[in-house]
Amino acid sequence: MDEPLIRDALPTDAENLLNIYRPFIEDTAVSFETTIPSTTEFEDRVIDTLLKFPWLVYEIGGRIAGYAYAGPHRSRCAYNWSVEATVYIDVKFRRQGIGTALYTELFELLIKQGAVNVFAGITLPNPGSIGLHESLGFSQIGVYKNIGYKHAKWWDVGWWQLSLQSPKNPKQLTPYPLI
């Protein structure tokens, strides 16, 4: 088997990324999306994210097994140093350390960009995602009760936070890719 590779996502990966994401939309409340985006829409998401933040894929033998990316926490300028992170792993590759590997690389890049905090919103219950995040040092900071309605049920979303580096008088966040 080929050595695993973590690399930047490419717009041409969109169909493979969407195939990983699709079951989370169709079968779970992990994602609050209810309509499958087109491949072109997903390609645009990759392009838009990579203008400012990393979007990484974990590839094994030429096959994408998972991905992780970051985005702004909120749009107001004072939030610039706080980001949200997301990870999705193909069902065939779960519990193999791929989420940890992707997040570890993602967080190193975010630190280099100047990010101070990273947040993760997790639809509850989700013990696998909670376990991953807490194993990486995230702490739960709150729960939005009954915030999303999907599959004929109301869902809570818990929020977890990880401090990437100590807050100081920050410079502007360095856009991705880092040069």
Side-chain angles (χ1 to χ4, degrees):
M1 180 182 267
D2 293 331
E3 286 295 312
L5 169 70
I6 296 178
R7 62 168 175 81
D8 285 339
L10 302 168
T12 54
D13 293 324
E15 185 174 351
N16 292 322
L17 301 174
L18 188 53
N19 286 336
I20 292 170
Y21 185 50
R22 179 179 281 108
F24 293 98
I25 298 171
E26 292 177 331
D27 305 328
T28 76
V30 167
S31 168
F32 279 2
E33 283 195 74
T34 57
T35 304
I36 308 292
S38 70
T39 302
T40 302
E41 288 174 291
F42 217 74
E43 184 177 300
D44 289 343
R45 290 180 189 187
V46 172
I47 292 167
D48 290 345
T49 298
L50 288 170
L51 292 174
K52 190 167 182 184
F53 293 103
W55 186 317
L56 303 175
V57 299
Y58 189 102
E59 191 175 285
I60 302 172
R63 180 170 178 194
I64 296 174
Y67 63 90
Y69 62 91
H73 174 63
R74 296 284 185 265
S75 62
R76 303 284 190 261
C77 290
Y79 288 115
N80 281 351
W81 299 270
S82 294
V83 301
E84 289 184 29
T86 302
V87 63
Y88 288 98
I89 308 301
D90 186 310
V91 68
K92 297 175 190 90
F93 292 95
R94 290 198 191 136
R95 306 201 60 81
Q96 297 180 30
I98 294 170
T100 298
L102 281 164
Y103 262 173
T104 299
E105 180 70 22
L106 181 68
F107 298 161
E108 288 174 13
L109 293 168
L110 291 170
I111 289 167
K112 289 177 183 174
Q113 284 188 270
V116 174
N117 299 297
V118 62
F119 296 90
I122 302 172
T123 304
L124 302 176
N126 190 334
S129 186
I130 292 168
L132 169 65
H133 287 86
E134 290 183 351
S135 76
L136 292 166
F138 280 80
S139 297
Q140 187 176 17
I141 56 171
V143 176
Y144 292 156
K145 298 284 190 182
N146 297 314
I147 193 163
Y149 187 80
K150 184 175 178 183
H151 298 309
K153 181 179 175 186
W154 284 99
W155 298 91
D156 297 342
V157 172
W159 283 93
W160 275 257
Q161 178 178 356
L162 174 67
S163 294
L164 295 173
Q165 55 187 319
S166 63
K168 50 188 173 267
N169 290 332
K171 297 176 184 163
Q172 279 302 102
L173 213 60
T174 303
Y176 194 78
L178 303 168
I179 297 173

